[in-house]
Every structure is written in C-alpha cells, then in structure tokens.
C-alpha cells in the first residue's frame, strides 16, 4: 500500500512539470496496478485527457527500420527490413509511393528539396528514388551493407557509410552520379 501511495504522490508531482506528463502517467499506472485507488484512477483519467491523441497508426508486414519526414513535413517515409521504402501523406495516412529495394533497407532519407529519396540496404545498394516511387539510379557498394545516409543542406552531396567503416561522398549534382574517388587520401583520427 505504501509503494502505491508513493507512486501516486510522485505522479502528482510530475504531472505539471514540463515534459513529465508521460512519467506522471507511468507512475499513476504503477500505483493503480500495485494497489488500486481513487487517487491513482483520477490521476490516470486526467493525464490521459492531456496526452496528445495519435493522428493515425499503420501496421506493416516487416519491421520498420526507420522513419523520417520530408522538408515540408507533409509526407513521412518508412523503410523496412522487407525492402520497402514508402511515402505516406501525413494528414490521411494515404500511401503516395512505395519502392521495393533488393535487400532489407537500413537507412533512407529525403533530399532537402523533397523530390527524391535515398535508400540504402544490407546488400550494398544505394537506391535514388523519385518522389513518385520510380527508380532514378542505383549505386552499388559491392555488397557492403549501407549503415547510414546523410545529406548536405543544399542537397548536392550525400555521405554514405558502409559496414566496412568507410564513408563515401556522392555528388548528386552531376548528371552521371558516381562516388568520389578518395584513392591516395588518408585521414588520421587522433
């Protein structure tokens, strides 16, 4: 009983602290599960009414490996271990495009202009996908799994990391997209 009362008291303390509504709710749940009380129930009801409601929820056949928004924030991107890279309208969860990569997708990102998506997979493929879901280009990393992708703010260059601890810079501003040649360059980290 004392533990339940302690959790309820802590829930009240955290309830109106900035950013602590979830903590307060979890403490109220703990109190209610340990020893049901009117106080814990009231805290739960009040906290739940203050939590932001979800806009929507989707289920996917594979495990989602990442999500991100386009620069305008009206489309979100999902990538999954089943190889899918899909764009969804935020307001109604409508699928705008879906592309199937050859392997499980490990990283995907919108370009800063939002007109293309770069998606990397475990098989070492970097797919450059147009916003309608069509494939623009594929760059092979010789079977080395892509671990991360990031973009320069102006969208010209992308940096791609692979499982062999290499970083490759790609100039997306060229008509023939290809990785930079770093042969003969060594970088020493202290």
């Amino acid at each position: 009983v004392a533990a339940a009362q302690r959790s309820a008291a802590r829930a009240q303390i955290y309830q109106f602290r900035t950013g602590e509504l979830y903590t307060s709710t979890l403490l109220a749940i703990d109190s209610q599960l340990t020893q049901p009380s009117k106080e814990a129930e009231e805290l739960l009801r009040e906290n739940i009414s203050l939590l932001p409601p979800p806009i929507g929820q989707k289920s996917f056949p594979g495990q989602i490996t990442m999500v991100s928004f386009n620069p305008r924030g009206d489309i979100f991107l999902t990538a999954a271990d089943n190889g899918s890279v899909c764009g969804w309208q935020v307001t109604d969860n409508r699928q705008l495009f879906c592309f199937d990569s050859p392997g499980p997708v490990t990283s995907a990102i919108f370009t800063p202009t939002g007109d293309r998506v770069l998606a990397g997979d475990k098989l070492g493929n970097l797919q450059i996908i147009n916003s309608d879901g069509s494939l623009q280009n594929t760059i092979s990393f010789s079977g080395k799994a892509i671990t991360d992708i990031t973009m320069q703010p102006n969208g010209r260059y992308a940096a791609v990391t692979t499982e062999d601890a290499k970083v490759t810079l790609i100039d997306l501003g060229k008509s023939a997209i290809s990785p930079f040649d770093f042969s003969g360059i060594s970088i020493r980290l202290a």
Side-chain angles (χ1 to χ4, degrees):
V1 174
Q5 289 174 337
R6 207 172 19 257
S7 289
R10 285 183 180 156
Q12 283 179 324
I13 292 169
Y14 283 107
Q15 187 175 30
F16 295 107
R17 284 189 183 173
T18 305
E20 297 292 350
L21 185 59
Y22 289 105
T23 303
S24 173
T25 304
L26 290 172
L27 287 166
I29 290 169
D30 178 62
S31 175
Q32 186 69 4
L33 290 175
T34 304
Q35 179 68 42
S37 70
K38 289 241 184 240
E39 182 183 29
E41 184 179 342
E42 185 178 312
L43 276 166
L44 273 173
R45 288 181 191 279
E46 188 173 342
N47 284 1
I48 289 171
S49 73
L50 297 172
L51 291 172
I55 294 172
Q57 190 172 35
K58 298 202 75 68
S59 295
F60 294 89
Q63 178 183 357
I64 300 298
T65 55
M66 61 75 42
V67 295
S68 67
F69 284 94
N70 71 345
R72 289 186 316 273
D74 60 337
I75 300 171
F76 71 96
L77 186 68
T78 59
D81 65 358
N82 68 358
S84 68
V85 178
C86 302
W88 307 88
Q89 186 70 40
V90 169
T91 54
D92 60 5
N93 290 330
R94 181 173 49 93
Q95 183 178 312
L96 301 173
F97 66 86
C98 209
F99 178 84
D100 290 322
S101 184
V105 179
T106 53
S107 185
I109 186 171
F110 275 101
T111 59
T113 56
D115 62 337
R116 295 181 288 180
V117 171
L118 277 63
D121 68 24
K122 284 188 177 181
L123 302 179
N125 298 299
L126 177 68
Q127 311 284 335
I128 302 172
I129 306 161
N130 294 316
S131 59
D132 64 0
S134 63
L135 179 64
Q136 178 184 343
N137 201 345
T138 299
I139 298 172
S140 173
F141 283 80
S142 304
K144 303 294 182 189
I146 293 173
T147 55
D148 197 15
I149 305 166
T150 191
M151 294 286 304
Q152 184 184 35
N154 71 9
R156 175 151 183 196
Y157 299 106
V160 179
T161 61
T162 51
E163 67 182 344
D164 58 352
K166 291 184 180 175
V167 177
T168 302
L169 293 177
I170 298 171
D171 186 347
L172 296 172
K174 291 186 175 182
S175 56
I177 299 171
S178 60
F180 284 119
D181 181 7
F182 282 108
S183 58
I185 298 174
S186 66
I187 299 173
R188 183 179 298 244
L189 300 176

